[in-house]
Amino acid sequence: IKDIDEWFKILYKKDAETVKNTYLGNRGNNFESEVIVDVVTKSGQIRKIAFKDKITPIGEIWGLKDKTELYKAREEKDGISQEFNQLLDFSKIGLWEWVIEDDKLTWNNNMYEIYGFEEVGVVSKYDDYKDSLHPDDIEAMTDDLNYVLNNSIEEFNNSFRVALKDGTIKKIKAVAKAYRDEEGKLVKMIGLNWDVTEEEALNSQKDKIEKDYKFILDSLNMGVWDWDINSDKLILNDKMNEILGF
């Protein structure tokens, strides 16, 4: 290699002139800037190379580092994050992050929908949505958060109600992960919220039907049996056991 032009042509092929201009524009920045370029190897692979330069009394020193794997990891991470966000959107799950020291709260769009906010971006701290909690649940929620803040708790699992402006009451399920520094101080929390109102209503209705059904059968003094064919499991009520002499 005789000169810098030949060096760039070998490394950067058709992009040699562009890369050279970029290099000249950043020359002498004393390692304060970094330029990422695509380098084509002899085998035809494209590598992401970071280069910096420094002028010294004995000449110019170049620093080069292969960051191909780092860029691949970033792309994979971005892909995973995109898939994760799509999953959250599809399942209507709210995602939130709370930075404790700054009291900075970040919500995804689903959180605003769950809590009945018409405008996105209006929540940035805990107090911004505290009034959305059901009045009967605010004290318990505050106590739970204080417990996490003051104790070495890694995971948070809770359920509570929210009261929307139109009077609708929702039951919310919440899970969260606590992140602490080396001294054990809580730094941030990341969690998920989702609406379980319909699920809770169905379970409540199911329990009521079962109780009513049992009451009717007991009142009629009837024997009842239930046979699960798949598991070959037979269940008898008390009256059926009595009739059969068990």
Side-chain angles (χ1 to χ4, degrees), residues 18 33 46 93 96 109 127 188 201 228 232 242:
T18 300
S33 67
I46 298 177
I93 293 178
W96 56 269
N109 291 343
D127 286 341
K188 70 176 180 180
D228 188 329
D232 194 24
E242 180 183 338

Side-chain angles (χ1 to χ4, degrees), residues 4-19:
I4 193 171
D5 288 331
E6 186 176 353
W7 164 255
F8 279 118
K9 287 179 181 179
I10 292 174
L11 285 179
Y12 310 120
K13 311 297 182 187
K14 63 179 181 179
D15 296 323
E17 191 66 28
T18 300
V19 175

